[in-house]
C-alpha cells in the first residue's frame, strides 16, 4: 500500500520539472484537443440550435485541424467526411468555411494514421468512401478548394510519412491508400468534374496531370474512367485554349494510358463518335501546320497513331467526318502534286519524325481499305500511282521530283518496303487502277532489280525490313507478296499480262538461283520460295499453254524440292508450307499436261511423291494422294507406282493400305484385331458420324456421309486402287488383303450409308415414303449389309487359310529342327565309337574281329569266285614315278582304288574300310 502511494507520488512529481513556457502551452492545447470528440463537433455543426453559431464552428474546426496536423486517424475518417461535406455546403453562403475546408484537404494528403495493425483491414471500407467523398468535393466552385483536392490526390503518389508521431500511432503502409483508391470512384469523379472547369484553365491542366498519374499507375483506374466515358471526355476537351500547350499533351498521354491499360475496343468505340473524331482531326491538323519542335512532331505522330487505332474500328466515322480524305491527301504527299489547300503550305523536314508520319499514313491506307467507300477516295487522290512511285528501285528513281529525293537512302528503303506492304492489301481491291498504272511492269522491274547483283546494301532497320540486312531479300519478299495477292484472285487479264511478260520463267529462275545460293536458309528465304510456287500454281492451274511454258525447267525445279523430303517439316522456318506449296505446284503446273507429266515421271517424280507420302506427317497426305490420283490419268504412271519400293521393300499398294488402316484408326472405325469388319451393319462408319445427332439437313448442306468423302483419305485411296486394280498387286500380306477387301467394296458401303442417312432423315421428319420406296430403301440397306457379311466371310476365309499356312510352316520348321538334332546325335555317337576304338585296345580287337566275321560271311563261295572278278574303279592319282624304261612301262602311277561290289558287298562295316584304304598299281606295257 505504501509502495503504491510512493509510485503515485512519483507520477504527481513529473510535471514539477518545469518545461519551457511554449512547450507547456502546446501540451495543454493537445490535452484540450484530445477531449474534443468528432461526434460533438458534428452535432454542433448540424444541430438546428447551434447551426448559426459560425464563430463557434470556426473555433472548434480550427482546434480539430490543429489536433490533426500529422494526419487523420482511420477510425475518424467517416466523421471527417461528414465535416468536410458540411463545410462544403456552408461554404456556399459563408466563404469563411472554405479556408477550413482547404486546410482539411491539405491534411488529407498526408498518410492516414492507425492505432493498431488491424485498423487497415477494419476501416478499409471507410477509407474507400472517404476518398469518394474527396472527389465529390470538386463540386465546390472555389478555385482554391479544387486546386487543393487535385494537389492532395497527387500527393498520394509522392507523400512521405511524418517524422514526429504521438505514442501509439503509426502511418498506414505506402501502398494501402493507393490500393483503396483503385476501388473507389475517385478517378471517375475527377474525370466527370472536367465539365465544371470551363473557365479554370490552370485547374483543368492540374486535373489532367492528376488523371494522367491515375491512369498511368493502375488498370482499375483506367477501367473506372472508361465506365464514365473517359476517352470521349478527354478527347472533347483536348482542343480547349491553352497557352502552354500542355492540355493537348496531357490529353494524348491519358488516351495512350487508356489504350494500353484499359479495354482497347471500348476506348476506340468511345473515340469513334463524330465529336471525338472531329476533335482529334482539329488537334492533328493544328500540330501538322504549327508544330516545329521535336515534341510537337512527336505529339502529331501520337495523334496519328490514335487515329490509326480508330480506323481499325469498322464503326468509325473517319470518312463521314472528312478526316479520311485529308489523311489520304497527306499519304500521297510529296510524291504527287495536289490542288488540295492542305498541302500547299505544308513543308516537310524529311527527318525521322516526318518519316514516321509517312509510314503511319501508308499504314492508315491499309486500315481504311476495309471500308469499300474509301476506295473511291483512293481513286480520286491517285493513291495507286503514288504507291507505285514509292516502290521504284533506287536505280530508276531519277525521275522523281525534287521533294522525294530529299529522303535519305535509308528512309527510301523503309518507304519502299512500307509501300510494297500497302500494295499487297490495296492492289487486289483496285485492280483496274493497278493495271492502268502498269503495276505488273513496276513489280517485275522491282523483282528483276532484287535478283541483280550490285552494291546495294539493305539496312533492315524497319519492321518490314526483317531479314534483309545487307541484301535485297526484304524487298523481294514483299514484292513476291504483292504478286501473290494479285494473282490469287484469278483475274485472267492480270495473269495473262504477267505471263506475257515472262513471269513464269523469271520465277523459276529466281527459285533455282536462290537454291544455288550458299547462304543458309532462314524464315524469309523459305517464305519467298513457297510464295513463288503458289504464284506459279495460280498462273498455270487452268491454262494448258502456261503448263507447257512451265516446261522442263519447272519440272526440274519441283523435282529438286521434292528430293528434300520432309525432314525439316517441323523446323519452325516454314518448311511445312514449302512442302505443301511444292505438292500444289506439281498438281497445278504439271498434272494435266502429258508433256510435263512424262518428263516428271522420267525424272522419278512419281517415286518422289510416294517417298514423300511415306515419310511426311498425316496433314500432308490428302494433298499428295490427290496429286497422285490426278497423275494416274496418265497411263505411264501406273507402272511407276507399282514398281516403287520403299523402306524395307514396301510397295505402293502396301503403303496405301497402311494409310487406309491409319485413317480408320484416326476415325475410330469399328474393326476387329485383324483389321476386318467388326459390325456388318456399320462397315465403314466412323465414331464421329455416330456422334453427330443432327438428322435433318438443308438442301445446300452436305450430310456427314458425303462430307467424309472430301475430308477423309479413304475416298482418294479407293480411287487410286480403281486405277491400279485389285488383282496381282505386289508385296501384300494377308493383313493387307483383309484391308483390300474393304477397300474394294468402299463405294458399295458408302452408297448404303447414304441411303441409311436418307431413311433416318425421313423418319425424323415424320415423312412416310410410298410402299415401293419403303421397299426400295429396305432392299438397298439389306444389300449393303449382305455385302458386308460376304466381305466378313471372305476375310475369315483369308485368315483361316493363312492360319493353316502358318501351321504348315511351323510343322516344317519343327521337322527341320528334329532332323538337325537327330544328325547331331548320330555325329556324337559316331564320335564316341571312334574314341572308344582309339583309346581301348580290347574294343578295337573286338570290332576288328566282328568286322572280319562279317566280311567272311559275305565273301563269295569258291565256285562263284572264279566267275565273278572284282572290279575296281580307278580313283584319284596319288603319285607318279618315272623310270628309264621306254614307253608306258617307264611310268609308275599310284592310284586310290575303290571296289565296285554288288549290292550284298556294299554293307561293309567301318572296321573293313579302315584296313586298306590306299593301294598302288603299276601301269605297264
Amino acid at each position: 500500500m505504501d509502495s503504491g502511494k510512493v509510485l503515485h507520488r512519483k507520477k504527481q512529481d513529473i510535471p514539477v520539472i518545469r518545461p519551457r513556457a511554449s512547450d507547456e502551452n502546446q501540451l495543454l492545447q493537445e490535452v484540450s484537443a484530445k477531449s474534443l470528440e468528432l461526434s460533438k463537433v458534428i452535432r454542433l455543426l448540424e444541430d438546428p440550435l447551434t447551426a448559426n453559431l459560425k464563430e463557434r464552428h470556426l473555433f472548434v474546426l480550427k482546434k480539430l485541424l490543429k489536433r490533426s496536423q500529422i494526419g487523420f486517424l482511420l477510425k475518424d475518417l467517416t466523421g471527417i467526411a461528414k465535416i468536410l461535406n458540411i463545410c462544403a455546403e456552408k461554404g456556399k453562403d459563408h466563404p469563411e468555411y472554405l479556408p477550413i475546408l482547404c486546410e482539411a484537404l491539405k491534411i488529407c494528403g498526408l498518410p492516414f494514421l492507425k492505432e493498431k495493425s488491424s485498423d487497415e483491414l477494419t476501416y478499409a471500407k471507410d477509407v474507400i468512401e472517404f476518398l469518394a467523398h474527396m472527389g465529390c468535393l470538386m463540386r465546390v466552385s472555389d478555385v482554391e478548394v479544387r486546386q487543393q483536392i487535385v494537389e492532395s490526390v497527387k500527393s498520394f503518389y509522392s507523400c512521405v510519412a511524418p517524422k514526429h508521431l504521438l505514442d501509439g500511432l503509426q502511418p498506414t503502409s505506402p501502398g494501402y491508400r493507393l490500393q483503396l483508391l483503385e476501388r473507389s470512384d475517385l478517378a471517375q469523379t475527377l474525370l466527370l468534374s472536367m465539365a465544371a472547369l470551363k473557365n479554370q484553365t490552370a485547374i483543368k491542366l492540374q486535373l489532367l496531370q492528376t488523371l494522367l498519374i491515375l491512369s498511368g499507375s493502375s488498370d482499375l483506374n483506367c477501367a473506372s474512367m472508361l465506365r464514365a466515358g473517359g476517352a470521349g471526355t478527354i478527347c472533347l476537351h483536348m482542343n480547349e485554349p491553352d497557352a502552354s500547350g500542355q492540355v493537348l499533351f496531357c490529353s494524348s498521354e491519358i488516351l495512350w494510358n487508356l489504350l494500353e491499360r484499359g479495354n482497347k475496343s471500348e476506348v476506340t468505340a468511345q473515340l469513334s463518335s463524330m465529336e471525338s473524331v472531329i476533335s482529334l482531326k482539329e488537334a492533328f491538323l493544328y500540330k501538322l501546320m504549327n508544330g516545329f519542335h521535336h515534341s510537337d512532331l512527336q505529339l502529331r505522330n501520337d495523334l496519328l497513331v490514335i487515329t490509326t487505332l480508330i480506323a481499325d474500328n469498322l464503326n468509325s466515322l473517319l470518312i463521314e467526318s472528312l478526316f479520311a480524305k485529308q489523311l489520304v491527301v497527306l499519304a500521297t504527299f510529296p510524291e504527287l502534286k495536289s490542288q488540295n489547300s492542305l498541302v500547299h503550305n505544308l513543308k516537310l523536314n524529311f527527318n525521322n519524325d516526318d518519316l514516321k508520319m509517312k509510314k503511319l499514313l501508308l499504314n492508315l491506307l491499309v486500315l481504311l481499305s476495309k471500308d469499300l467507300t474509301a476506295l473511291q477516295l483512293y481513286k480520286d487522290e491517285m493513291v495507286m500511282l503514288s504507291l507505285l512511285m514509292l516502290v521504284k528501285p533506287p536505280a530508276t528513281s531519277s525521275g522523281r521530283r525534287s521533294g522525294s529525293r530529299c529522303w535519305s537512302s535509308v528512309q527510301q528503303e523503309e518507304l519502299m518496303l512500307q509501300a510494297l506492304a500497302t500494295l499487297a492489301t490495296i492492289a487486289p481491291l483496285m485492280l483496274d487502277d493497278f493495271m492502268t498504272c502498269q503495276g505488273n511492269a513496276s513489280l517485275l522491274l522491282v523483282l528483276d532489280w532484287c535478283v541483280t547483283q550490285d552494291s546495294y546494301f539493305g539496312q533492315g532497320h524497319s519492321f518490314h525490313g526483317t531479314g534483309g540486312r545487307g541484301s535485297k531479300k526484304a524487298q523481294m519478299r514483299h514484292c513476291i507478296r504483292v504478286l501473290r495477292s494479285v494473282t490469287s484472285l484469278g483475274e485472267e487479264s492480270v495473269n495473262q499480262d504477267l505471263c506475257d511478260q515472262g513471269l513464269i520463267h523469271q520465277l523459276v529462275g529466281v527459285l533455282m538461283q536462290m537454291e544455288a545460293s550458299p547462304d543458309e536458309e532462314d524464315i524469309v528465304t523459305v517464305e519467298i520460295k513457297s510464295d513463288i510456287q503458289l504464284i506459279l500454281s495460280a498462273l498455270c492451274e487452268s491454262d494448258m499453254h502456261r503448263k507447257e511454258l512451265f516446261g522442263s525447267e519447272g519440272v526440274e525445279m519441283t523435282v529438286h524440292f521434292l528430293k528434300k523430303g520432309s525432314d525439316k517439316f517441323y523446323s519452325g522456318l516454314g518448311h511445312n508450307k514449302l512442302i505443301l506449296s511444292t505438292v500444289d505446284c506439281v498438281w497445278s503446273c504439271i498434272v494435266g499436261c502429258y508433256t510435263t507429266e512424262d518428263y516428271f515421271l522420267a525424272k522419278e517424280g512419281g517415286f518422289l511423291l510416294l517417298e514423300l507420302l511415306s515419310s511426311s506427317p498425316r496433314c500432308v497426305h490428302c494433298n499428295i494422294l490427290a496429286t497422285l490420283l490426278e497423275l494416274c490419268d496418265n497411263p505411264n504412271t501406273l507402272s511407276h507406282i507399282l514398281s516403287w519400293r520403299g523402306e524395307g521393300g514396301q510397295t505402293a499398294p502396301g503403303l496405301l493400305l497402311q494409310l487406309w488402316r491409319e485413317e480408320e484408326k484416326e476415325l475410330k472405325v469399328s474393326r476387329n484385331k485383324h483389321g476386318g469388319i467388326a459390325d456388318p451393319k456399320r462397315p465403314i462408319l466412323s465414331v464421329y458420324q455416330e456422334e453427330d445427332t443432327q438428322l435433318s439437313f438443308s438442301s445446300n448442306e452436305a450430310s456427314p456421309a458425303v462430307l467424309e468423302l472430301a475430308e477423309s483419305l479413304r475416298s482418294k485411296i479407293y480411287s487410286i486402287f480403281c486405277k491400279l486394280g485389285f488383282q496381282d498387286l505386289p508385296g501384300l500380306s494377308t493383313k493387307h488383303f483383309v484391308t483390300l477387301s474393304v477397300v474394294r467394296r468402299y463405294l458399295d458401303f458408302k452408297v448404303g450409308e447414304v441411303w441409311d442417312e436418307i431413311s433416318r432423315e425421313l423418319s425424323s421428319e415424320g415423312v412416310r415414303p410410298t410402299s415401293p420406296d419403303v421397299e426400295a430403301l429396305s432392299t438397298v440397306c439389306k444389300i449393303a449389309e449382305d455385302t458386308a457379311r460376304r466381305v466378313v466371310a471372305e476375310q475369315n476365309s483369308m485368315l483361316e487359310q493363312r492360319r493353316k499356312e502358318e501351321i504348315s510352316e511351323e510343322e516344317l520348321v519343327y521337322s527341320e529342327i528334329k532332323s538337325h538334332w537327330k544328325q547331331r546325335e548320330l555325329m556324337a555317337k559316331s564320335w564316341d565309337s571312334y574314341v572308344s576304338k582309339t583309346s581301348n585296345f580290347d574294343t578295337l580287337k573286338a570290332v576288328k574281329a566282328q568286322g572280319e566275321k562279317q566280311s567272311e560271311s559275305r565273301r563269295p563261295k569258291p565256285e562263284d569266285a572264279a566267275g565273278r572278278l572284282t572290279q575296281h574303279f580307278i580313283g584319284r592319282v596319288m603319285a607318279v614315278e618315272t623310270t628309264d624304261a621306254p614307253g608306258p612301262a617307264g611310268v609308275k602311277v599310284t592310284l586310290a582304288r575303290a571296289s565296285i561290289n554288288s549290292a550284298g558287298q556294299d554293307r561293309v562295316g567301318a572296321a573293313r574300310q579302315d584296313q586298306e584304304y590306299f593301294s598302288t598299281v603299276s601301269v605297264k606295257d
Side-chain angles (χ1 to χ4, degrees):
M1 190 70 179
D2 293 338
S3 62
K5 290 182 180 180
V6 173
L7 183 60
H8 179 70
R9 209 171 280 123
K10 287 182 179 181
K11 285 186 178 181
Q12 293 296 328
D13 291 341
I14 290 176
V16 174
I17 302 174
R18 298 186 179 275
R20 290 177 298 177
S22 58
D23 294 340
E24 184 177 2
N25 294 334
Q26 182 177 359
L27 183 60
L28 292 175
Q29 290 177 0
E30 291 179 359
V31 174
S32 61
K34 288 180 180 179
S35 62
L36 192 65
E37 296 181 1
L38 286 180
S39 59
K40 294 181 179 180
V41 175
I42 296 172
R43 192 181 310 117
L44 176 65
L45 295 174
E46 292 181 339
D47 195 333
L49 299 177
T50 60
N52 297 325
L53 301 178
K54 182 173 62 175
E55 291 78 7
R56 179 63 177 170
H57 293 172
L58 296 176
F59 174 77
V60 172
L61 290 174
K62 288 178 181 179
K63 290 178 63 177
L64 176 64
L65 295 180
K66 193 164 186 64
R67 183 195 71 174
S68 306
Q69 286 298 313
I70 58 176
F72 293 124
L73 286 171
L74 290 176
K75 66 178 183 179
D76 295 338
L77 290 181
T78 302
I80 296 296
K82 292 182 180 180
I83 293 173
L84 294 179
N85 285 330
I86 293 172
C87 291
E89 294 298 326
K90 290 183 176 294
K92 296 178 182 178
D93 301 324
H94 304 283
E96 295 85 356
Y97 287 90
L98 297 180
I100 301 295
L101 182 59
C102 291
E103 184 66 22
L105 291 171
K106 184 178 180 180
I107 298 175
C108 291
L110 298 174
F112 299 139
L113 303 178
K114 60 182 179 180
E115 296 175 332
K116 297 181 294 185
S117 299
S118 60
D119 285 352
E120 290 187 357
L121 183 60
T122 305
Y123 299 106
K125 186 176 180 181
D126 295 343
V127 176
I128 294 174
E129 294 177 355
F130 180 79
L131 295 175
H133 283 304
M134 280 187 63
C136 294
L137 292 177
M138 288 294 291
R139 68 182 185 274
V140 180
S141 59
D142 185 72
V143 175
E144 295 181 358
V145 173
R146 290 176 174 175
Q147 184 174 0
Q148 189 58 58
I149 294 173
V150 173
E151 291 178 354
S152 296
V153 175
K154 289 170 64 176
S155 67
F156 291 173
Y157 294 87
S158 60
C159 65
V160 181
K163 297 181 180 179
H164 303 288
L165 292 174
L166 297 177
D167 294 339
L169 298 182
Q170 294 179 353
T172 55
S173 57
Y176 173 72
R177 184 164 49 181
L178 298 182
Q179 292 177 0
L180 298 182
L181 187 149
E182 294 175 352
R183 290 165 174 77
S184 67
D185 296 332
L186 179 60
Q188 182 177 349
T189 307
L190 293 178
L191 175 72
L192 295 175
S193 66
M194 287 190 63
L197 304 177
K198 294 182 180 179
N199 300 323
Q200 299 176 357
T201 307
I203 302 302
K204 180 180 294 185
L205 178 58
Q206 294 184 16
L207 179 58
L208 286 173
Q209 292 172 349
T210 304
L211 291 174
L212 178 59
I213 296 174
L214 291 173
S215 62
S217 61
S218 170
D219 297 349
L220 294 177
N221 289 338
C222 291
S224 177
M225 294 170 64
L226 287 176
R227 286 195 296 270
T233 302
I234 296 296
C235 191
L236 290 177
H237 292 86
M238 67 192 313
N239 292 316
E240 293 182 357
D242 173 39
S244 64
Q246 291 297 309
V247 171
L248 181 57
F249 174 78
C250 290
S251 299
S252 65
E253 290 297 318
I254 292 173
L255 291 178
W256 268 114
N257 290 337
L258 294 178
L259 286 167
E260 292 177 353
R261 290 181 167 272
N263 189 330
K264 182 180 177 181
S265 59
E266 187 175 353
V267 176
T268 54
Q270 293 180 14
L271 295 178
S272 297
S273 64
M274 181 63 73
E275 295 80 6
S276 298
V277 171
I278 292 176
S279 179
L280 193 61
K281 178 181 71 171
E282 294 174 355
F284 171 74
L285 295 179
Y286 174 79
K287 285 297 178 182
L288 176 69
M289 305 306 297
N290 301 292
F292 303 102
H293 299 291
H294 177 64
S295 60
D296 295 332
L297 299 181
Q298 283 186 328
L299 179 56
R300 175 199 65 187
N301 292 344
D302 289 344
L303 294 173
L304 192 55
V305 173
I306 295 174
T307 305
T308 302
L309 296 175
I310 297 174
D312 200 21
N313 184 8
L314 296 178
N315 298 323
S316 65
L317 300 176
L318 292 175
I319 297 177
E320 292 78 358
S321 64
L322 302 181
F323 193 16
K325 181 177 177 61
Q326 293 171 317
L327 293 173
V328 171
V329 172
L330 288 174
T332 61
F333 179 80
E335 287 74 33
L336 298 179
K337 294 181 179 180
S338 176
Q339 302 299 324
N340 195 297
S341 59
L342 179 63
V343 297
H344 278 180
N345 299 322
L346 180 61
K347 293 182 180 180
L348 297 180
N349 297 322
F350 300 100
N351 52 25
N352 287 334
D353 291 319
D354 290 339
L355 176 65
K356 291 178 182 178
M357 183 186 72
K358 182 69 175 180
K359 292 169 65 176
L360 286 171
L361 290 170
L362 293 177
N363 182 56
L364 196 59
L365 294 177
V366 176
L367 297 175
L368 289 175
S369 64
K370 297 177 182 179
D371 190 345
L372 297 181
T373 56
L375 300 181
Q376 187 60 44
L377 292 177
Y378 296 172
K379 293 181 180 180
D380 296 341
E381 302 300 333
M382 296 183 291
V383 169
M384 186 61 65
L385 179 59
S386 173
L387 292 175
L388 291 175
M389 291 180 67
L390 284 173
V391 302
K392 287 183 179 180
T396 61
S397 61
S398 58
R400 293 182 180 181
R401 54 194 299 268
S402 59
S404 63
R405 288 200 298 269
C406 291
W407 298 112
S408 66
S409 59
V410 177
Q411 291 172 336
Q412 286 182 5
E413 175 189 339
E414 295 190 26
L415 288 177
M416 180 182 183
L417 293 172
Q418 187 75 37
L420 285 170
T422 305
L423 273 175
T425 302
I426 295 180
L429 303 175
M430 303 176 64
L431 278 181
D432 294 339
D433 287 33
F434 180 76
M435 296 298 294
T436 303
C437 298
Q438 297 182 349
N440 284 338
S442 299
L443 293 177
L444 294 183
L445 285 175
V446 174
L447 183 60
D448 186 61
W449 171 77
C450 290
V451 298
T452 303
Q453 301 294 331
D454 55 23
S455 59
Y456 181 83
F457 187 88
Q459 299 299 321
H461 293 319
S462 64
F463 169 77
H464 296 290
T466 303
R469 176 76 174 173
S471 65
K472 306 173 185 176
K473 193 182 298 183
Q475 287 83 351
M476 180 184 290
R477 177 191 195 183
H478 289 283
C479 180
I480 294 297
R481 281 184 179 181
V482 179
L483 287 172
R484 177 186 172 185
S485 65
V486 171
T487 55
S488 62
L489 296 176
E491 183 65 31
E492 186 60 28
S493 59
V494 178
N495 293 352
Q496 186 61 45
D497 181 61
L498 289 170
C499 293
D500 292 343
Q501 297 187 51
L503 180 61
I504 293 178
H505 288 293
Q506 187 175 2
L507 291 179
V508 173
V510 169
L511 269 177
M512 298 311 295
Q513 181 179 345
M514 294 180 69
E515 281 296 302
S517 174
D519 297 337
E520 186 178 356
E521 276 189 336
D522 56 7
I523 189 170
V524 177
T525 304
V526 176
E527 179 188 339
I528 292 173
K529 293 176 182 178
S530 60
D531 283 347
I532 289 177
Q533 290 181 343
L534 292 176
I535 293 171
L536 291 171
S537 301
L539 293 175
C540 301
E541 183 176 4
S542 58
D543 192 284
M544 187 65 66
H545 176 62
R546 296 172 192 167
K547 293 185 179 183
E548 294 174 353
L549 291 177
F550 188 74
S552 59
E553 294 181 0
V555 171
E556 291 176 357
M557 180 270 295
T558 54
V559 168
H560 172 78
F561 281 98
L562 286 175
K563 287 181 178 179
K564 291 186 173 184
S566 60
D567 296 338
K568 298 182 179 180
F569 192 85
Y570 295 108
S571 65
L573 299 178
H575 286 91
N576 51 343
K577 298 179 182 178
L578 184 60
I579 291 175
L580 288 170
S581 63
T582 303
V583 175
D584 186 58
C585 197
V586 174
W587 192 355
S588 303
C589 303
I590 296 177
V591 174
C593 178
Y594 280 169
T595 305
T596 54
E597 284 182 359
D598 291 340
Y599 191 72
F600 178 73
L601 294 173
K603 289 291 183 178
E604 298 184 347
F607 294 165
L608 294 174
L609 284 176
L610 288 169
E611 290 175 3
L612 184 62
L613 181 64
S614 63
S615 61
S616 61
R618 182 177 179 273
C619 57
V620 190
H621 291 166
C622 185
N623 300 63
I624 301 176
L625 287 173
T627 304
L628 280 172
L629 178 59
E630 295 291 336
L631 198 60
C632 284
D633 290 338
N634 189 323
N636 298 326
T637 305
L638 303 180
S639 59
H640 283 75
I641 293 179
L642 292 175
S643 61
W644 175 80
R645 293 296 181 272
E647 185 177 355
Q650 187 181 35
T651 62
L655 173 61
L656 294 175
L657 293 173
Q658 176 186 339
L659 294 178
W660 179 285
R661 291 194 298 271
E662 292 175 357
E663 180 71 9
E664 289 193 333
K665 184 178 180 180
E666 184 71 22
L667 297 175
K668 299 181 180 180
V669 180
S670 179
R671 291 286 180 264
N672 57 29
K673 63 180 180 179
H674 301 291
I677 297 175
D679 187 359
K681 295 182 179 180
R682 298 175 298 176
I684 60 172
L685 193 66
S686 68
V687 68
Y688 304 107
Q689 292 175 249
E690 295 179 13
E691 294 174 354
D692 192 351
T693 57
Q694 184 180 359
L695 298 177
S696 181
F697 306 93
S698 59
S699 58
N700 58 350
E701 183 181 0
S703 66
V706 178
L707 283 176
E708 193 266 343
L709 291 172
E711 298 173 354
S712 173
L713 303 181
R714 294 189 293 180
S715 59
K716 298 176 180 60
I717 296 175
Y718 168 76
S719 301
I720 293 176
F721 271 109
C722 289
K723 301 284 186 179
L724 297 176
F726 296 92
Q727 302 293 333
D728 301 328
L729 297 175
L732 299 185
S733 63
T734 303
K735 188 175 183 179
H736 289 143
F737 282 113
V738 169
T739 306
L740 185 63
S741 63
V742 180
V743 177
R744 181 185 302 177
R745 295 295 185 179
Y746 175 74
L747 184 59
D748 298 334
F749 295 151
K750 180 57 66 175
V751 170
E753 187 179 310
V754 172
W755 279 110
D756 183 65
E757 279 189 350
I758 293 174
S759 177
R760 287 189 289 109
E761 183 177 358
L762 292 175
S763 177
S764 65
E765 294 180 354
V767 177
R768 184 187 180 281
T770 60
S771 298
D773 290 342
V774 172
E775 184 179 354
L777 282 173
S778 61
T779 301
V780 170
C781 295
K782 188 175 184 302
I783 290 175
E785 185 177 346
D786 292 342
T787 303
R789 295 187 184 279
R790 287 197 300 272
V791 172
V792 171
E794 181 182 351
Q795 292 174 343
N796 293 334
S797 175
M798 295 178 187
L799 295 173
E800 181 63 23
Q801 181 180 356
R802 178 57 186 167
R803 189 182 67 81
K804 292 180 179 179
E805 291 176 356
E806 290 176 351
I807 293 175
S808 176
E809 293 173 357
E810 184 179 359
E811 291 176 352
L812 180 60
V813 170
Y814 276 120
S815 64
E816 291 178 355
I817 295 174
K818 185 177 180 181
S819 174
H820 175 72
W821 280 101
K822 184 67 175 176
Q823 184 67 23
R824 291 184 64 179
E825 290 176 359
L826 293 176
M827 290 176 63
K829 186 175 181 181
S830 176
W831 173 253
D832 293 340
S833 175
Y834 175 76
V835 170
S836 63
K837 289 189 294 183
T838 56
S839 60
N840 191 334
F841 182 72
D842 295 336
T843 303
L844 181 61
K845 287 183 3 178
V847 171
K848 184 176 180 180
Q850 184 180 2
E852 290 177 352
K853 183 177 180 180
Q854 291 179 354
S855 177
E856 187 68 26
S857 64
R858 292 194 183 100
R859 184 174 299 173
K861 296 179 180 181
E863 57 272 15
D864 297 332
R868 184 168 54 190
L869 298 176
T870 302
Q871 298 180 0
H872 297 280
F873 177 78
I874 299 176
R876 188 161 47 113
V877 176
M878 302 301 295
V880 178
E881 297 180 3
T882 58
T883 62
D884 296 335
V891 180
K892 185 178 181 180
V893 181
T894 303
L895 302 175
R897 182 178 59 189
S899 298
I900 303 177
N901 300 323
S902 60
Q905 292 175 335
D906 290 338
R907 299 182 180 89
V908 180
R912 178 66 178 171
Q913 296 177 6
D914 291 338
Q915 294 175 2
E916 295 181 0
Y917 188 73
F918 298 111
S919 62
T920 59
V921 61
S922 296
V923 180
K924 296 182 179 180
D925 192 11

